[in-house]
Structure formats: C-alpha cells, structure tokens
Amino acid sequence: MADDLGLSGAPLGIAVAVISSFINGSTFVLQKKGILRSRSKGCSYLTDAVWCSGTLCMIIGQIGNFLAYNLAPAVIVTPLGALGVLFGAVLASWILEEHLNILGKLGCVLCCSGAVLLIIHAPKEVAASREEFEERLSDPVFVTYIVLVVLLLIALIVWVAPAHGTSNIMVYVAICSLLGSFTVPSSKGLGLVAPDVFTEGPSNTRALALFLGLLGALALSILIQFFFINKALESFSSNIFEAIYYVTFTSTVIFASALLFKEWTALTVSDSLAMLCGLTTVCVGVILLRISQEALITWKEKEARTKSD
C-alpha cells in the first residue's frame, strides 16, 4: 500500500512534515505562555520573549510545511499534524499546567490513530505541471468552492467574530481552518510555478503573475491566521484550540486539495471507507479533548460513596 501511495518516493517530505508538526505543536503553547506573562506584567505580549519564540516557531513550521507540501501529497502531510497535537498537549501540561485527564489522553490517542488511517489509505497525488495547475484553478467546481469560502470568511470576520469570538471557540477555529483552502494550494502551486519563473531564458509573464498571485494569497492567509490564532489563545486553552483546529484544518485542506488536484479519482471503495473511518476517529478524539476540560472524573468519590453505603 505504501508504494501504491507514492510514500517510497516522498520520505523526505514525510520526515519534514513530522519535524514541522513538532515545531508547530510548540507554537500555541509558547504564544499562550507569552500572553499570560504579558498580562501579569501589564504590557503587550508583542514584546514578550516567550511569545516571540512561539512566533519564530510558527514561521519555521510554516516553512517546513511549505517544503513538505511540495515533497509529498497534501493528504499525507496534513494529517501528520496530529503529532503536533500530542506534543502540544505534553508541553501545555508542563509549561501551562493545563491538566489532561483520562478523556483528554484518550482523545490524543484517537487523533493519532485516525491520522495513521488517513496516511495509509490516502489517495495518491498526481503530479501536475504549471499548465495543468492553471487549468485546475479555473475549474468551475473549485472556483465555486473558493467563492463560497471567501463569502463565509467575510461573514465570520466582519459580523460573527466581533460578537461571538471570545465566547465560542469555533468562530476563530472556523476562520483559521477555512484559510487552509488558500495556504496549502498556494504552497503547492508556488512549487509548480517557481521553476518557470526562475529558470534561465526569457521571462514568462503569465507564470510570474501567477507566482505573485499565489505568493500574495499565501502571505495574506498566513497573516490572518496568525492574528486570529492569537485572538483565540487570549480566550481559550491552547490544548483545546490546537486539537479542534487540527481536525477542522485537516478536513478543509484534504477537501480543497481533492477538488483542486483530483486526488480522489483513483481511490478504491475500501480506501474511501477507511478514509471516512479515519476522519471520524480523529473527530471523536477531538470531541473527547474538547469535553475533557469540563468533565470531572470522580471514580475515587464513587468508591468512597460505595464504602460509606
């Protein structure tokens, strides 16, 4: 199965994705720590050294993701972010003292298990040239999807976030996740277009325009994500935000990549069911992580009541 998926030809991309996941896993924890430190000092978190180190990790992680997405299929690279969720949970319990009970730990295990299923049964990504990429960008289905995403983002940023952002974590999560529809296709597109822009010979005006457009879309989407990630960390637990963000971002990226790169056309029925089970497993894991902060495990109390009875 691994050879069929092209895994043997992309070990470097998978290795980079794993390293980037661990780096990204530390990002939210360090930024949250910096925000808490700045609050205690009564100053802006923008000047806090710990917050800046988290931001640096985010930049390094994004560069790693860019390399990974151009070395391996997006449907393989993106689910590996579950490793970052685990690493972030460990760091948060150590640095932020955000305790994970048995439900939270079980949720982490399910997230990783679902990610493994997704990696094993992910569709093989078909390599594309710049011309093929341009043609796919103008596909009516993909264009319709992008227009709907843009409209939804505008509604969330302009109307929903100011009113409900600080009380409902899904508002910021939805904004950051939907932007994945731009970051990953833009990253992969830059890798396809760059050779035509920087190779020797007469410049290709069309390729240069596409390169600049993709670069602008990537930069803008990353900046907006950066802003709303910090807004979310000011109000919510880094553990919870990272876990939910991982699932929604992964689902969005896989869906957008499937529409753009047509990765699902050669997928068998058994692999489709396995992918569905993998996504479901990850979603259940995130739900457990979400409720673990509010659920109270009272086994000892039960035992005490039983003895007293």
Side-chain angles (χ1 to χ4, degrees), residues 276-306:
L276 181 60
C277 290
L279 285 172
T280 303
T281 302
V282 173
C283 289
V284 172
V286 168
I287 291 173
L288 290 180
L289 274 168
R290 178 67 182 91
I291 66 175
S292 66
Q293 297 294 308
E294 300 174 359
L296 296 176
I297 307 300
T298 56
W299 293 337
K300 293 183 178 179
E301 184 180 344
K302 274 189 174 182
E303 292 175 0
R305 286 182 179 177
T306 302

Side-chain angles (χ1 to χ4, degrees), residues 8 12 26 133 142 154 162 190 195 265 268 292 295 308:
S8 58
L12 180 59
S26 66
F133 180 70
F142 183 72
I154 292 174
L190 285 171
T265 54
T268 63
S292 66
S308 63

Side-chain angles (χ1 to χ4, degrees), residues 208-231:
L208 180 60
L210 180 58
F211 180 85
L212 293 176
L214 291 172
L215 186 62
L218 178 62
L220 182 62
S221 60
I222 289 177
L223 287 175
I224 297 175
Q225 284 184 67
F226 178 77
F227 175 78
F228 282 103
I229 283 173
N230 280 281
K231 293 281 287 184

Side-chain angles (χ1 to χ4, degrees), residues 82 85-86 100-115 239-240 242-244 246-247 277-293:
V85 176
L86 280 181
L100 273 181
N101 57 28
I102 187 65
L103 287 180
K105 293 174 182 177
L106 180 59
C108 287
V109 172
L110 288 177
C111 283
C112 284
S113 300
N239 259 337
I240 299 303
E242 185 175 8
I244 301 176
Y246 160 74
V247 171
C277 290
L279 285 172
T280 303
T281 302
V282 173
C283 289
V284 172
V286 168
I287 291 173
L288 290 180
L289 274 168
R290 178 67 182 91
I291 66 175
S292 66
Q293 297 294 308

Side-chain angles (χ1 to χ4, degrees), residues 131-198:
E131 291 77 12
E132 291 173 327
F133 180 70
E134 289 182 0
E135 183 179 348
R136 291 172 180 178
L137 281 177
S138 59
D139 182 77
V141 176
F142 183 72
V143 171
T144 301
Y145 169 74
I146 291 298
V147 170
L148 291 175
V149 169
V150 169
L151 293 176
L152 185 54
L153 280 171
I154 292 174
L156 287 171
I157 293 173
V158 176
W159 292 292
V160 181
H164 306 286
T166 57
S167 60
N168 190 334
I169 192 173
M170 290 307 300
V171 176
Y172 292 142
V173 167
I175 293 173
C176 296
S177 300
L178 287 172
L179 288 166
S181 299
F182 299 94
T183 54
V184 175
S186 296
S187 296
K188 296 190 72 65
L190 285 171
L192 293 171
V193 177
D196 291 339
V197 176
F198 297 105

